[in-house]
Amino acid sequence: MAILVYVEHIEGTFKKSAFEVVSYAKAIASEQNTTVTALSIGKVEDSELNKLVEYGASKILKVDQDQLKQFVNKAYASVIAEAAKAEQSDIIVLSNSFSGKGLAPRLAAKLEAGLVDGAIELPTTSGSELHVKKTAFSNKAFATEVVSAAKKVIAVNPNSIEPTKQEGSATIEALNPSVDASDLNVLVKEVVRATDKVSLPEAEIVVSAGRGLKGPENWGVVEELAEALGAATACSKPVSDAGWRPHSEHVGQTGIVVGPNLYIAVGISGAIQHLAGVSSSKTIVVINKDPEAPFFKVADYGMVGDALEILPKLTAAIKAH
Ligand code: FAD
């Protein structure tokens, strides 16, 4: 009856969201007097797997098969469902990441489970029901969903739960699930990351810029500020549509939804479609030369002025500290 958590890693190193979802599951497990089993797919050393123990996993299942080296939605969902059945888990927790967004509904369908995606707080329990707070309507509202189905799949937004360390020990077991060849029958395009820059959906700080930067030749000031802060870079939709930046950086209703501790918006007007992707940010700083720019209405801090003058000074000041 353990709670099953699917944990994501990049080339054998767990993402921060892995520790967040284990902490999330551990909090539910403590209320329900049960334990947490973490499931990792792909090559991860035992020393890395053991880090999950610090956040509350008391059993770790590792699936290390060559055919599952790359993420394939159908196959991964089958493996997680098989592990959930083997562990008799009624609750399955995973991150609402790129892959989690695809996995969660497929998993819920396979297990005939109730699904909540975009969870942002620990749930409260009422009998066998879970009351889960989540974002709704492109992050413009919050909802509390009551999941009464016997089985439940919960996808937790990255950066919304603070991972909590605790004492404990765990066993590591190898799992060798049978994978249906048709589940692997997908053309996978491997995108090799050319840099070790911070991943945008999980970044704690994001420096994002819009059309106010005038052109791609001016992005150096954005990258320098991001580097000084250890931040990920992002942009508004017109910027990626114009090819100034890759589409993977486009934030908003039709792009990536982020929820960092700090979102710095530079030369972005603050259209509602952009705000839909950033409204979960804990602190928003806006830099815009127009004091009437709508983004200032949702900003915690604002600077009115020319971004191309402000950014180098800000970077220099940060480097000096
Ligand atoms: P602009 O609106 O042109 O704003 C540029 C800003 O830069 C202005 O506020 C200006 O004052 C400021 N500025 C100019 N020069 C300087 C300077 N030197 N220094 C400082 N500031 C300066 N947009 C998204 O971002 N994400 C989405 O997901 C998205 N989805 C959409 C979906 C739909 C269906 C539609 C219709 C639109 C969507 N949009 C989205 C587009 C959105 O409506 C806005 O058009 C877009 O966000 C504007 O981008 P921007 O702020 O970079 O540019």
Side-chain angles (χ1 to χ4, degrees), residues 210-212 214 236-239 250-255 267-271 273-274 287-290 293 305-308:
R211 225 157 21 186
K214 313 281 189 248
S236 65
K237 183 172 183 292
V239 163
H250 150 203
V251 160
Q253 188 177 325
T254 48
I268 302 177
S269 56
Q273 296 89 355
H274 186 84
I287 302 171
N288 198 304
K289 72 171 188 188
D290 174 9
D306 186 338
L308 297 175

Side-chain angles (χ1 to χ4, degrees), residues 14-152:
F14 283 120
K15 295 180 174 182
K16 181 169 161 263
S17 67
F19 306 124
E20 292 169 358
V21 287
V22 173
S23 292
Y24 191 94
K26 178 62 182 173
I28 306 174
S30 302
E31 273 220 1
Q32 301 197 350
N33 216 6
T34 181
T35 54
V36 174
T37 298
L39 169 69
S40 163
I41 306 176
K43 186 147 199 65
V44 181
E45 298 299 333
D46 283 3
S47 56
E48 185 69 14
L49 290 170
N50 270 318
K51 290 184 186 165
L52 301 169
V53 182
E54 295 172 29
Y55 297 90
S58 52
K59 181 172 171 185
I60 297 161
L61 297 174
K62 61 172 181 180
V63 177
D64 184 6
Q65 296 182 355
D66 258 5
Q67 56 185 353
L68 295 169
K69 230 167 75 184
Q70 282 177 326
F71 176 77
V72 182
N73 189 321
K74 264 174 112 178
Y76 273 46
S78 298
V79 171
I80 301 169
E82 196 173 319
K85 284 179 189 156
E87 292 295 303
Q88 295 181 307
S89 300
D90 285 341
I91 301 177
I92 297 97
V93 180
L94 70 170
S95 170
N96 198 33
S97 59
F98 279 132
S99 37
K101 280 184 209 288
L103 281 173
R106 196 182 284 275
L107 200 52
K110 275 183 183 292
L111 297 171
E112 297 186 351
L115 166 68
V116 181
D117 59 349
I120 50 165
E121 279 181 13
L122 292 174
T124 52
T125 317
S126 166
S128 63
E129 288 178 348
L130 283 184
H131 296 213
V132 187
K133 187 167 177 187
K134 58 165 283 181
T135 53
F137 300 115
S138 299
N139 281 329
K140 290 190 202 75
F142 299 114
T144 299
E145 277 188 11
V146 178
V147 201
S148 52
K151 292 190 189 304
K152 302 163 179 73

Side-chain angles (χ1 to χ4, degrees), residues 119-200:
I120 50 165
E121 279 181 13
L122 292 174
T124 52
T125 317
S126 166
S128 63
E129 288 178 348
L130 283 184
H131 296 213
V132 187
K133 187 167 177 187
K134 58 165 283 181
T135 53
F137 300 115
S138 299
N139 281 329
K140 290 190 202 75
F142 299 114
T144 299
E145 277 188 11
V146 178
V147 201
S148 52
K151 292 190 189 304
K152 302 163 179 73
V153 173
I154 307 177
V156 183
N157 273 359
N159 271 333
S160 53
I161 301 295
E162 195 56 47
T164 324
K165 286 205 174 183
Q166 41 201 288
E167 299 281 305
S169 60
T171 52
I172 299 178
E173 290 176 21
L175 187 70
N176 273 310
S178 50
V179 180
D180 197 317
S182 66
D183 283 351
L184 291 161
N185 195 9
V186 175
L187 180 66
V188 177
K189 184 179 162 197
E190 188 173 13
V191 180
V192 181
R193 295 183 316 150
T195 69
D196 56 359
K197 281 184 191 156
V198 186
S199 139
L200 178 56

